[in-house]
Amino acid sequence: MLRILGHGTTPCDGVSRREAMRVGGLSLLGGLTTPRLLQARSQSSAVTEGRAKSVILLNLLGGPPHMDLVDLKPDAPQETRGEFSPIPSSVPGTHVGELLPLTAQIMDRCTLIRTYSHKYNSHNPYNVYTGFDGGSDRDNYFAKPTDHPSMGSVCQYLGMGSTDIPRYVILPAYPGHSQALRRAGPYGGYLGAQYDPLFTVWNKEFEGKGEFYKPTAALGVPALPSLDELPDITADRLDRRRSLYTQLDESIAEVERSEVVQGMNEFQQQAFSLLTSSKTRRAFDVSEESQEVRDCYGKTVWGTSLLTCRRLVEAGSTFVSVNWEEADSGNHWDMHSNVFGMCRELAPTLDQIVSALILDLDERGLLDQTLVVVMGEMGRTPRINGNTGRDHWPQCGFVLLAGGGVQRGMVHGRTDAQAAYPVDHPVSAGDLVATIYHLLGVDYTLTVNDLTDRPIHISHGGQPVREILA
């Protein structure tokens, strides 16, 4: 069920103080503390006009098996090569796995990094969002205030992007939501919680009953956080002749007139206004899209989330990300068991939504200014284990990029005969983050102070991968 603001029985002032404070404190503006604001202003020269205006990051939490998807080794021993065959792509001489036929057709629009390599063996997206790979599973599994800030948080801290739309959004929910934990990575860390992203909410729906290693399709749409005291309204119950956002103005106005909202401080009122603005709600209203476009992305929550990402960057958001993770239904990429069965279930959806996003952006003239990044926190072991699975392997993985100033039709880096290690051109977590910052026009050598006032490099010593830049 899609939860949105609407009519209903509420306390006398329209909304509870607890809920109003929660919504009013959402991190949509950035720069809400004076010391950080002054420091960010002093570093304004660190931002110039980049090739990319926005980033859409699809995070495949768990670690997708690169040797079964994009770097197949058909001549490797049976215990390595797996069950799938390579197929040719639109780039002569470049092959991908048979489960990705649509992606194969758009490889001439993409850059494929086959040598993403680091030393951070932990199931959270800390290295993905921050570029830091020096932590440990014991110390960095859960998010904490001393963490390094994410790329989206740094962008907010530097004041990048439009101020009338949430600039940093993660859909359909925060990493770890399905296991009741807050995984490290997407937060403001020592910059402050005011630079956290806006996390959408998702009322889980599934096509059937899945298990941890037996996926079923995850359905539904991401939604803006709503007020708990107000009733649920579904898209099916609303008048189909008008889009959702135009039907909510009366309800929003009623809440805005409440004593609690009027009693908020200036920053809280701005955040509340941003969350409930027509522009924000319109960006989340995928019912405005044609059925043809919606069918291209499909009915999974991962597809509708990517479609919402496209609408957000079209409206002016700077950094938006889809976190593909739902443990109970098998919607994750941590494939210690049944790796080939899981790939057969998940890879076709990945194939559909990634190709749909890239083609959609290209047809709308948005691809050149939007950097698309598809990756997980690690790869998987070359050797198949006793449970017909593959285990953790941060030594080698892949990143697929498109648009935003990267080369078209390029493969960067080669791996050995078993896809275990880079043979040349390894790309570290810091290198990848430095590349993304560079494309956004952010000085990747910039430092920000941690909680002890030590200057820390936002790219952690990484360098842009200049070979892949257009």
Side-chain angles (χ1 to χ4, degrees):
M1 183 178 294
L2 169 61
R3 298 208 63 240
I4 54 178
L5 292 168
H7 290 292
T9 303
T10 63
C12 60
D13 60 2
V15 58
S16 75
R17 295 182 183 276
R18 174 187 60 80
E19 188 63 22
M21 290 298 290
R22 182 178 72 83
V23 175
L26 285 172
S27 306
L28 305 178
L29 298 173
L32 304 189
T33 59
T34 301
R36 290 295 187 189
L37 180 60
L38 294 175
Q39 186 182 27
R41 285 175 176 171
S42 71
Q43 295 172 327
S44 59
S45 61
V47 181
T48 58
E49 185 174 352
R51 291 289 302 273
K53 293 183 179 179
S54 304
V55 173
I56 299 176
L57 168 62
L58 175 56
N59 174 46
L60 308 178
L61 197 139
H66 55 291
M67 67 289 294
D68 296 314
L69 297 176
V70 297
D71 193 12
L72 282 72
K73 303 292 184 179
D75 298 326
Q78 184 175 357
E79 63 270 18
T80 294
R81 68 174 180 262
E83 298 181 359
F84 307 123
S85 301
I87 59 173
S89 75
S90 55
V91 178
T94 297
H95 292 70
V96 296
E98 64 181 82
L99 298 179
L100 303 177
L102 299 176
T103 304
Q105 295 175 24
I106 61 162
M107 286 301 295
D108 58 345
R109 294 171 170 85
C110 303
T111 280
L112 174 62
I113 296 175
R114 284 180 168 155
T115 51
Y116 183 62
S117 181
H118 59 86
K119 54 184 179 294
Y120 184 58
N121 184 4
S122 183
H123 267 318
N124 59 64
Y126 195 30
N127 65 299
V128 174
Y129 286 105
T130 71
F132 178 70
D133 70 350
S136 68
D137 194 48
R138 181 187 64 187
D139 296 331
N140 299 109
Y141 196 75
F142 299 96
K144 55 187 184 299
T146 54
D147 286 345
H148 299 293
S150 66
M151 290 179 282
S153 297
V154 170
C155 289
Q156 286 202 107
Y157 166 73
L158 294 174
M160 296 174 60
S162 176
T163 58
D164 59 353
I165 190 81
R167 293 183 283 186
Y168 178 25
V169 185
I170 292 185
L171 311 88
Y174 59 86
H177 76 285
S178 64
Q179 295 176 299
L181 58 91
R182 294 271 180 170
R183 300 182 188 274
Y187 300 97
Y190 46 72
L191 285 182
Q194 67 269 28
Y195 300 106
D196 289 351
L198 165 65
F199 293 103
T200 65
V201 294
W202 167 45
N203 195 350
K204 298 179 186 179
E205 302 173 37
F206 303 104
E207 195 167 64
K209 181 175 175 54
E211 301 176 14
F212 194 82
Y213 292 122
K214 294 181 180 179
T216 188
L219 311 175
V221 295
L224 287 166
S226 59
L227 305 181
D228 291 342
E229 287 77 9
L230 298 179
D232 294 339
I233 301 178
T234 67
D236 290 339
R237 288 172 54 195
L238 288 169
D239 184 351
R240 295 177 181 274
R241 291 172 298 179
R242 293 185 296 155
S243 62
L244 301 183
Y245 86 97
T246 60
Q247 299 178 61
L248 298 176
D249 287 339
E250 182 181 347
S251 299
I252 296 297
E254 182 177 338
V255 174
E256 288 176 340
R257 288 193 296 267
S258 71
E259 294 178 6
V260 170
V261 174
Q262 295 302 315
M264 291 176 177
N265 65 35
E266 178 184 357
F267 290 130
Q268 289 172 328
Q269 285 199 16
Q270 289 181 58
F272 186 89
S273 176
L274 186 57
L275 177 63
T276 58
S277 73
S278 292
K279 185 175 182 180
T280 299
R281 287 180 284 120
R282 184 170 188 170
F284 278 87
D285 186 5
V286 296
S287 70
E288 287 196 335
E289 298 289 338
S290 70
Q291 192 60 49
E292 180 182 7
V293 169
R294 296 177 70 178
D295 287 344
C296 287
Y297 285 88
K299 61 183 179 180
T300 67
V301 70
W302 321 118
T304 57
S305 292
L306 275 188
L307 175 55
T308 305
C309 285
R310 193 222 77 207
R311 293 179 62 82
L312 282 166
V313 301
E314 206 168 19
S317 295
T318 303
F319 199 103
V320 293
S321 178
V322 175
N323 180 64
W324 186 327
E325 173 201 14
E326 209 295 316
D328 296 336
S329 65
N331 275 266
H332 60 88
W333 298 84
D334 189 17
M335 300 177 172
H336 292 283
S337 180
N338 189 31
V339 61
F340 307 118
M342 292 189 74
C343 280
R344 286 190 177 92
E345 290 294 325
L346 300 182
T349 298
L350 176 67
D351 189 42
Q352 176 183 7
I353 67 176
V354 169
S355 59
L357 175 65
I358 291 172
L359 289 172
D360 194 11
L361 289 168
D362 209 8
E363 290 170 2
R364 293 171 184 271
L366 295 172
L367 186 59
D368 286 344
Q369 65 187 45
T370 307
L371 178 64
V372 177
V373 184
V374 181
M375 64 183 299
E377 69 267 28
M378 63 180 73
R380 310 301 295 184
T381 50
R383 181 176 291 272
I384 301 164
N385 66 27
N387 295 316
T388 320
R390 298 188 189 272
D391 300 315
H392 299 185
W393 195 254
Q395 291 87 338
C396 198
F398 78 93
V399 182
L400 183 71
L401 304 108
V406 299
Q407 295 272 14
R408 291 186 173 216
M410 180 179 185
V411 175
H412 181 80
R414 292 182 301 120
T415 59
D416 61 20
Q418 298 188 35
Y421 298 96
V423 170
D424 56 29
H425 300 101
V427 174
S428 71
D431 292 337
L432 183 65
V433 166
T435 304
I436 295 172
Y437 278 133
H438 176 73
L439 289 169
L440 282 169
V442 176
D443 179 3
Y444 63 90
T445 68
L446 177 71
T447 63
V448 294
N449 291 349
D450 67 7
L451 295 180
T452 64
D453 278 336
R454 294 181 305 163
I456 307 295
H457 287 273
I458 59 173
S459 300
H460 308 284
Q463 297 289 318
V465 185
R466 299 196 180 276
E467 296 90 339
I468 72 171
L469 302 181

